[in-house]
Amino acid sequence: MIYLDFPSTETIIDCNGKAFKKMKNLKTLIIKNGYLSKGARHLPSGLRVLELPRYRLGCIPFSISNKTFEKMKILKLNNCEHLTNISDVSCLPNLEIFSFKKCKNLISIDESIGFLDKLQILNAEGCDKLSSFPPLKLNSLQELELSCCTSLKKFPQILDKMNNINYITLRDTGIKEFPSSFQNLTKLHSLSIRGHGKLIFPCSILMMSNLSEVEIEGYSRLVTKPYDELSSLLSSNVKEIFIETSKDKFLSVALTLFSNVETLNLSNSDIKILPECIKKCCFLKNIYLDGCIYLEEIRGIPPNLKRLSLGGDLLTSSSKSMLVNQELHEAGGTEFRFPSSQSELIPEWFEHQSRERSISFSFRNNFPSLVFYFSFISMDEWFLELVSGLRVYFLINDYAYTLDVLKFGNPIDVLGEYTYIFSSDWKKWLELGDYTPKGHPELKSMLDDALLKNEWIHAEVEIVAYWNDDDDDDIVVES
């Protein structure tokens, strides 16, 4: 093994190009800083690991015309600004890791790279001038990195089933089109892409049974590309999509393409309208609109929506009315959050109202449907640094238990004035026994007995802020 690490990247290692030729037992050669004055054209065939960052010649230091490097498993040529061409690499049949990231002047890659059967990691991140990528038939490939390849316009063709790639992240590329062969990434679970302009998506993506998460940022237009008559009959298995866009038309196309989505995250988008077509998303349960400061109108609510979080304060009164619809919340299990003002009125269908942090009521004959609506004003920032969230306690005939917990990911989330609406199906919880207070197994039987006797049952709901101490025990603070 030879490992060289110099203080400066400009350190010149003076050699005649044949320095390693007779080192037949050399297995690992790593030069972290500095570079060889004559390159490294003569290397022993027994090499297993070769790292030559900032390599100064225009092509890789061996080719098919030389001997076969059968034992090489790792080849890293990162930050080689003079590297313009990756030639025939079929002399590396056992290569497992091939990285040439940030090779700013690389313009071509030999097609042999797409047929390295043992290759597990292929990293071409930051190759600015690379305008095309060879077709891939890499059955062992687990990671493919093409982020920051700004000149790359198309995702490479996938020539055969590739069963080991679970996720692909493409940040700041020039990619605008995916081939229909993209479906050959049969085990792909997550796809994340960020670019600009028009994005062409093949309908064949609907056939990818394992793809469940899609993240799209920056693109202004989404175009689907049918490849056969069956495409209109297929249905996507994608359950979660993250879209950062300013175009409601882009969103409309995405919702059509991913019609079975359950979670839609539009956080930090510049979108102004949530389109009416969202009403057709029958499986959509969660919508996140945090940071959508330009959102003005919501034109539809999915029929099975359970969770919604909104950060903008430009929403029209008619849109807010949709969010507080009685029928929507009385079905149970909802949790909504959106900005409010002190002048805003509590909807009339809330029978019990209070300006305190708790409210009491009584019931008999049957379990009531419970929907909670509460707002709070801004708290001091120093206090918010301690607060983890809000906790809702439910007390029945002096039995207390946690009804719901609303957690804050960041104190900045609650600097403004927010309204919360949530409905908890506590009747179902009691029937299942999951929320019976510890040490009070008789709660359900007590309630059943009281209801049977037509007795009045006293209930109280209390909302408090809380934080966690170093031992992860809750410390409750009155809000």
Side-chain angles (χ1 to χ4, degrees):
M1 176 178 181
I2 295 179
Y3 181 100
L4 301 173
D5 190 359
F6 296 95
S8 171
T9 59
E10 298 302 317
T11 300
I12 300 176
I13 304 166
D14 190 16
C15 71
N16 60 9
K18 300 179 180 180
F20 308 103
K21 185 175 183 179
K22 295 184 179 181
M23 295 183 181
K24 295 182 179 180
N25 291 322
L26 186 64
K27 303 293 190 296
T28 300
L29 175 58
I30 299 174
I31 301 178
K32 283 293 185 183
N33 270 323
Y35 60 93
L36 302 172
S37 60
K38 301 289 186 181
R41 292 186 178 279
H42 299 281
L43 297 169
S45 59
L47 271 179
R48 296 180 182 177
V49 178
L50 177 61
E51 292 190 32
L52 296 177
R54 299 175 180 85
Y55 186 68
R56 290 292 176 123
L57 298 183
C59 60
I60 58 176
F62 37 74
S63 67
I64 195 63
S65 60
N66 293 326
K67 58 191 77 174
T68 299
F69 293 83
E70 291 184 351
K71 295 184 178 181
M72 185 173 290
K73 293 186 176 182
I74 300 174
L75 175 58
K76 295 184 178 181
L77 300 170
N78 301 329
N79 297 290
C80 296
E81 61 179 288
H82 297 280
L83 185 66
T84 59
N85 172 56
I86 292 180
S87 54
D88 194 330
V89 290
S90 56
C91 59
L92 308 172
N94 291 303
L95 198 63
E96 296 177 359
I97 299 175
F98 193 4
S99 178
F100 42 90
K101 65 180 181 180
K102 297 183 180 179
C103 293
K104 300 292 185 180
N105 293 298
L106 181 67
I107 58 175
S108 66
I109 301 175
D110 188 81
E111 291 195 357
S112 57
I113 197 174
F115 297 91
L116 296 173
D117 289 340
K118 304 293 180 63
L119 196 62
Q120 298 176 16
I121 298 175
L122 179 56
N123 192 335
E125 178 186 356
C127 294
D128 292 345
K129 295 184 178 179
L130 190 63
S131 59
S132 63
F133 209 90
L136 302 178
K137 187 180 180 182
L138 303 172
N139 296 325
S140 298
L141 195 66
Q142 299 175 11
E143 296 181 22
L144 175 63
E145 180 58 82
L146 299 175
S147 292
C148 300
C149 293
T150 55
S151 298
L152 191 63
K153 304 302 180 185
K154 294 184 179 181
F155 191 85
Q157 292 282 345
I158 308 299
L159 299 180
D160 199 3
K161 304 292 185 184
M162 291 170 56
N163 302 321
N164 293 306
I165 294 183
N166 296 317
Y167 66 91
I168 289 179
T169 300
L170 303 169
R171 295 298 190 193
D172 301 318
T173 73
I175 291 177
K176 299 184 184 300
E177 184 173 356
F178 287 80
S180 58
S181 62
F182 188 76
Q183 65 178 307
N184 284 329
L185 299 173
T186 55
K187 298 297 182 181
L188 190 67
H189 167 76
S190 174
L191 173 64
S192 178
I193 54 178
R194 182 171 66 201
H196 57 87
K198 180 175 70 173
L199 176 64
I200 301 176
F201 243 30
C203 284
S204 58
I205 198 171
L206 303 178
M207 299 178 66
M208 302 179 69
S209 58
N210 289 297
L211 185 62
S212 61
E213 299 176 4
V214 174
E215 181 178 355
I216 305 175
E217 296 181 59
Y219 293 94
S220 59
R221 187 182 174 197
L222 180 62
V223 178
T224 57
K225 190 177 182 181
Y227 69 99
D228 59 31
E229 295 180 357
L230 291 176
S231 61
S232 61
L233 303 176
L234 300 174
S235 184
S236 169
N237 289 311
V238 173
K239 302 302 181 186
E240 182 173 356
I241 56 176
F242 179 100
I243 298 177
E244 188 174 317
T245 183
S246 60
K247 308 293 184 183
D248 58 291
K249 186 175 181 180
F250 184 102
L251 178 58
S252 297
V253 175
L255 291 175
T256 301
L257 186 62
F258 305 113
S259 57
N260 290 332
V261 65
E262 295 180 358
T263 298
L264 172 62
N265 194 329
L266 296 170
S267 296
N268 302 311
S269 292
D270 293 338
I271 193 168
K272 292 184 178 181
I273 298 173
L274 198 62
E276 187 177 2
C277 66
I278 200 169
K279 293 192 296 186
K280 298 179 180 179
C281 297
C282 297
F283 300 97
L284 188 55
K285 298 177 182 178
N286 311 301
I287 299 180
Y288 299 101
L289 299 162
D290 300 290
C292 296
I293 59 176
Y294 301 105
L295 185 65
E296 299 175 357
E297 189 175 356
I298 295 177
R299 294 183 176 174
I301 297 289
N304 294 301
L305 186 64
K306 296 301 181 184
R307 181 173 285 104
L308 181 140
S309 181
L310 170 65
D313 58 1
L314 299 180
L315 210 60
T316 62
S317 57
S318 60
S319 295
K320 284 190 177 181
S321 296
M322 296 179 70
L323 299 181
V324 298
N325 177 272
Q326 181 175 1
E327 184 179 347
L328 174 66
H329 294 283
E330 284 193 337
T334 57
E335 184 180 311
F336 284 23
R337 188 192 79 154
F338 52 88
S340 61
S341 64
Q342 290 285 65
S343 60
E344 219 166 79
L345 297 176
I346 299 176
E348 293 182 357
W349 58 276
F350 284 90
E351 297 178 5
H352 300 275
Q353 301 184 17
S354 171
R355 290 190 175 273
E356 305 299 325
R357 64 179 179 86
S358 65
I359 191 168
S360 300
F361 60 95
S362 298
F363 63 94
R364 65 178 179 176
N365 298 324
N366 202 353
F367 292 103
S369 297
L370 294 179
V371 182
F372 302 96
Y373 177 107
F374 63 91
S375 301
F376 65 96
I377 61 175
S378 301
M379 292 182 274
D380 292 332
E381 189 168 353
W382 66 267
F383 182 72
L384 289 172
E385 291 178 357
L386 302 175
V387 174
S388 300
L390 298 177
R391 176 158 290 174
V392 182
Y393 286 104
F394 197 34
L395 296 88
I396 304 178
N397 286 0
D398 297 326
Y399 291 98
Y401 64 98
T402 301
L403 187 65
D404 214 335
V405 177
L406 306 174
K407 295 182 178 180
F408 305 138
N410 190 317
I412 199 71
D413 291 342
V414 289
L415 286 178
E417 298 173 354
Y418 280 91
T419 291
Y420 287 85
I421 301 181
F422 69 94
S423 56
S424 299
D425 193 353
W426 65 280
K427 176 184 175 182
K428 181 178 180 181
W429 290 346
L430 286 174
E431 289 174 350
L432 294 174
D434 294 341
Y435 282 75
T436 298
K438 195 171 183 179
H440 298 286
E442 70 278 11
L443 175 58
K444 183 180 183 301
S445 60
M446 181 273 293
L447 286 173
D448 288 341
D449 185 58
L451 290 172
L452 184 63
K453 295 178 180 178
N454 200 26
E455 296 177 350
W456 284 99
I457 298 173
H458 178 75
E460 183 178 357
V461 179
E462 184 179 25
I463 300 168
V464 298
Y466 75 94
W467 71 74
N468 297 321
D469 65 10
D470 293 336
D471 297 324
D472 291 329
D473 293 324
D474 292 332
I475 298 178
V476 176
V477 181
E478 293 186 1
S479 56

